[in-house]
Amino acid sequence: MKRYVIRRLLMAIPLLLVISFVCFCFISLIPSNPAEVALRIQQTPIITEEAIAKMEELLGLNKPFLVRYVDWVLGCLHGDFGISYVNPARTVAGELVRCLPATLQLAGASFIIVVVLSIPIGFLCAIHKDGWFDKIMRGIIFISTAMPAYWVGLLLMWGIGVKLGWLPTNGNGTWRHLIMPAFTVALSYISTYIRLIRNNMLENMKQDYVLYANVRGLPQKSILIKHILKNSMHTCIVAMGMSIPQLISGTIVVENVFSWPGLGTLCISSIFNRDYPVIQTYVLLIGVLFVVFNLLFDILQTVSDPRLRKES
Amino acid sequence: MKKRLFAALLGSVMLLGALSACGQSAASGSSADPAAGSGNASVRDELNFVNFRDIRDLNPHLYAGEMYAQSILYDTLVRVSDSEDATDGVIPCLAESWEITEEGKVYLFHIRQGVTFTDGAACDAHAIKANFDAILENKNRHTWLEMMNVLESVEAVDEYTLEIRLTSAYYPMLIELGGTRPFAIISPNCMIDGSTMNGVNGHIGTGPYVLTDFVTDEYAVFERNDSYWGEAPAVKKITVKVIPDNQTRIMALESGEIDLIYGKDMLDAEALTSYMESDKFTVELSAPISTRQLLMNTTDEVLGDVAVRKALQHATNKQAISDGIFSGLETPADFLYSSSIPYCDVGLVPYDYDMEEAAAILDEAGWTPGAGGIREKGGVKLSFGLLYCSDRVTEKNIAEYLQQEFRSLGIEMDIHGEEEQSYRDNMKSGNFDMVFNIAWGTPQDPQSSMAAMRAPVYGDFAAQQGLDDKGEIDQAITDILVSTDETGRQELYSFVLTRLHEDAVYIPLTYECNKALHINTLDGVEFDANCYRIPLERMFFN
């Protein structure tokens, strides 16, 4: 087991290096001169060759490509991701630290909504298979999966924020600000997990252990909750774990619609402003999150499932 | 079992509550909803405004901050104005009066007495001199202003007299001094070792408002400066929320969370027109501030022919563009600069939309229909490209419309979009046949944008290279800038504008304007002579 964990950890290192190199390459491949971009987004009205040369020196762009990459990776390892082009007084690390709590708050709230709604609904759909509740929920799932988050967000804002005046349409600060964006982010995940839990439960209901439990005369409630639901949750927990980085990266559009000051808003404004160091670090951060959560849940699954442990 | 399920649900709800509480404390140490609590008094004195991005760095000597914020925090020596009281396009501000001597080479400013910065420091000639020293330390950054090239010295003659000496006369000097950036005056206490080029340690000015609170990317709060030297603004507190999305801004206005949306790109034409008849909101449109235009490269084999350029002028239906793409909010443009811009009402005859006339010009010039219906002359097809910025949807729409229109005349136009930086790079290096362009806007038009035609700043320089009279035009622009005689200056402007019009280098499309949408109870929503300034200090609730 220890060997497996060490091996997986070691395998993650080249993967992270590849991610960092790809991030760096993509940004470097952009045809425009980043020094000129930096000057333009600082609204320098006329950009002279001297100003470009000065900015190139300031940003270290006059060094060879590989030297810049190594400098950047070494900087990243020390928590130094460079400075923002938009506001040179701010560091990229500082910007990420500033925006991360709001995104974690939104992703966390969405995750809770997903868990609280999808497990009971998925459970009820499974035990009332093809009943009216199951049919209605399947219809809702079908519609909500097809609706883009941007549109759902605007509809909620118009209905609940403008017409009913129950909740603020934008910004953050109180729990009331959190409800609409969190629900918008959660909606597509709720649909996914309801389907997953329902199907897993239906699969488990056909298993021999359920038949055996029925033969033993165990109460139905106990069979459904202690055995079927518990066994169905194995794959769901891994999938939910893996959806945490997805939730963090998936808040981009919703944050922008609801003016939620998190990483997504930072990323969108950085894309519009061509703030390359921020975009580069954001992509790297999301890549690292996926690798780390993948690793973590693979290890957790191996620890919890003796069959996998034996294989590894 | 039920108890357990209930406990799990309760736990989740509590965790949700805890998460929002965490966010609340992390967001700011100040009030959670800065806009809350305003609006119930009989006459409101708190305005909730909106901007698409954060205030950023408000150092007035650099260019990375929001100008609406800088213009209410800081003052300049003079203020650009189109009022009747204005002299040479400006009215007094920190300078109470001024004298221009030695044939326009020396400016003696008499500084308003008793003005203090909001940190208590005196705003006298020495403080203003310290600001000019800091600006000039970073001179290269400001050379887009022609005055930087003729500025010789700035001296504080005494406590309330400032002398600016130029190497040669420069008539737009006062207008350029009235620009918020870089000539707004900051408290010397905010400078770092007398310098501002590497940042400042505060945002203290003499303006009508003081920045009292802000949370990056969320909001900024400005409160009335009670020691302001001028007329006290009616609005005590302005909260500016950051809402990046167009639709969300409108929803926030509808729900009463904000009172005003203001700016040329803050509202799309479709949304604005839907509020024209509203009884809850008012739409305001400014006079033209800049011209949306097409710039033709005269060094191109096809567009180098003035007959082709004139035919294209006649083949462009500006009214259709105005109505179809801008819902009439941007009026059709006849000239490079609107006649409401100083010196630009020179009695030119516009090129009317007339496809028959356009065809006749091309026929006469020898461009006759060839294979595939495309006109040819001497084996050269009447074909060229139009470059647009792919980040701007309207440019693509106009390009597609014109492509179809020109095609009916036997003209082949390939259109292609590039992202903004690449579009600018191509423009600057002259790598285009025809390109979308926008004039600088008031108060930089016409003098500063014309001055920039003499160097590879935007596409104008490259596009005009094929003109036989380019040398004459450039010389006339240089003469305009140093002219001291009003009549002579107008004659020179008339010459340049007439030549550019006759050379048909620019196809003016529409005049861009500033837009505002606000609740009916808000009054005094006006447009400043400086199109980048928002006169928030003049607004009030009725």
Side-chain angles (χ1 to χ4, degrees), chain B residues 12-55:
Chain B
S12 303
V13 171
M14 282 168 71
L15 191 56
L16 198 67
L19 267 168
S20 32
C22 286
Q24 197 171 338
S25 59
S28 160
S30 64
S31 158
D33 188 355
S38 60
N40 294 328
S42 53
V43 177
R44 288 177 55 192
D45 56 7
E46 295 188 8
L47 171 69
N48 295 316
F49 182 47
V50 66
N51 193 39
F52 73 104
R53 63 181 169 193
D54 185 56
I55 49 172

Side-chain angles (χ1 to χ4, degrees), chain A residues 40 43 169 172-173 257 274, chain B residues 24 181 248 257 419 421:
Chain A
R40 188 167 60 78
Q43 295 187 1
T169 57
N172 83 339
V257 170
R274 308 284 189 273
Chain B
Q24 197 171 338
R181 292 192 304 221
T248 313
E257 289 164 89
E419 65 89 23
Q421 186 58 39

